[in-house]
Amino acid sequence: MNKVALVGNPNTGKTSLFNQLTGSYEYIGNWSGVTVERKIGILRNRLGELIDLPGVYGLTPISKDEGVVSDFLWNEAYSSILNIVDASQLERNLHLTVQLREMGKPLLVGLNMIDVAGKRGTVIDCAELSQKLGVDVIQVVARTGQGCQDLLAALSQPVRQPLPLKLDYGAVLEEAIEAVAKQMPMDIQEHHKRSLALQFFEGNHVIRQILATNIEEDALQALLDDTKKLLITSGNSNSIGNHIYRTRQKFIQETLETAFLHNENRDDALTEMIDKVVTNRFLGIPIFLLLMLLIFKLTFDWLGTPASDLLDSFFFWAINGHVLVRVNSYRCKWVYREADPSWHRRWSRWCPRLRTTNFYFIFLYFADRGFRIYGTGSIGHGSTNGENRPEREGFHPDDYRLWLQRSRHHGCSHNRATEGTAIDDHSNTAYVVFSTPCRIQSVRRRIL
Amino acid sequence: MTLLSELKLQPGNTFYVKDLSSVDPLVRRRLCDMGVIEECLLRFKGSMPFGGPFMFECNGQRIGLRRKEAAYIEVEC
């Protein structure tokens, strides 16, 4: 199956795009050894798998997330890389693209947020960019889904494997790269060696460990130190990483010079203005508190109360006439109290409020208790014997008493075990306690 | 060249970054990722009260930086 890795800078819309291309998460797990989420989805046209990787600025890791990406790209099998790039921050984003191009794996670039870039006065010539980078560039707006069809189509067919990008890093570094590449383990493919060597000089310790299997640690360190010394004496860079960064920066700037049709880089005046007000030194905190009050009012007064009343009336409609109760047997003692309608009322009034305040986990906690009592739990097998059931329309407590006696008399062990009953003749209500799970409809049917 | 901590910063001040070598290596790497390298133009946008972080603007993006970490950036006005 086509396996596509989704790579990009943080906050460039990777996850939005992932959702657009796949519909939903098919599988969520952890990367082994780290608690970084691994999300895999099936493309909408079912022609491949998409793997959402954490956002990174480059392939040299300094955090766990970045380590995951570097490790995945070098060690795991995938058919192509989809590099998502923020068009409004192209210069910064292309550093990663350049590194991916140097790796030489099949690559496709998704130019995202072209709408934001457009607002800021940046117009990009996609064809020119594609030609300069040597890969296909497809414009998308992940937020709205614009262009995602093109991207899906491009992903479904095998992405062409370009030759690795080769930038000239100057005589000193080129020589050092050559020296490292020569000594690499035999099983590394020829065209990967250069990229691996480069990442070693950038300070990628994952690569360093790979190299350490073949080259002595001291020799590696000596090579690093020598190269650094030579670079400092010959050029204007103060470290190897800096030199590599600048070389790439130069390539990117040259690329963008031709690829930018128009680049004004004007500030978003509206954002600036909003910032001025809401992050004001004196007004900021009062505005924040005011917003909080607004949300509080919204959840408890304006939206929450009508919603909880609605739910309240729904539950009273659902349990109309007779309250159905299911609890585990050890809870029998409490049941009569919990079956008290006022308790239901209190519970059902609370639950929409909890939802609107986003304390969803609290809601779930109560729901666990609540659904036990309403009996909406999963249905067990072995239903009540049909002939034992009172068939008459309309319900009278006496019928139920009779039915219970008959069931006990017949000794139906497969009957849904009733742990206890309480019948209130005044309100025409039967409180039933079941010890095994059953669905509310089935219980109602049995009683009626 | 002066350390950033020695400057009296006013919102809107701009300066060129001259040396990042005394900045913490990890912070330097991250700044580099964001495009803050030697010779780049920084604009001071403001600071949070009670010794809170500084906000800078660089290449059309805003960066929040701890006062302690920003202090080691050497700049030229």
Side-chain angles (χ1 to χ4, degrees), chain A residues 109 237 254 343 350 439:
Chain A
V109 172
S237 300
E254 281 166 12
W343 190 88
W350 263 98
R439 197 170 284 161

Side-chain angles (χ1 to χ4, degrees), chain A residues 166 171-184 190 193-194 197-198 201 223:
Chain A
K166 226 175 157 181
V172 178
L173 196 58
E174 288 294 337
E175 232 168 79
I177 290 169
E178 193 78 359
V180 174
K182 251 185 230 155
Q183 299 176 68
M184 274 190 199
E190 203 55 47
K193 284 186 177 172
R194 185 183 159 84
L198 256 173
F201 282 114
L223 197 61

Side-chain angles (χ1 to χ4, degrees), chain A residues 253-266:
Chain A
Q253 274 164 355
E254 281 166 12
T255 306
L256 291 183
E257 238 162 64
T258 51
F260 274 152
L261 293 176
H262 188 67
N263 189 19
E264 227 176 278
N265 218 349
R266 59 167 175 254

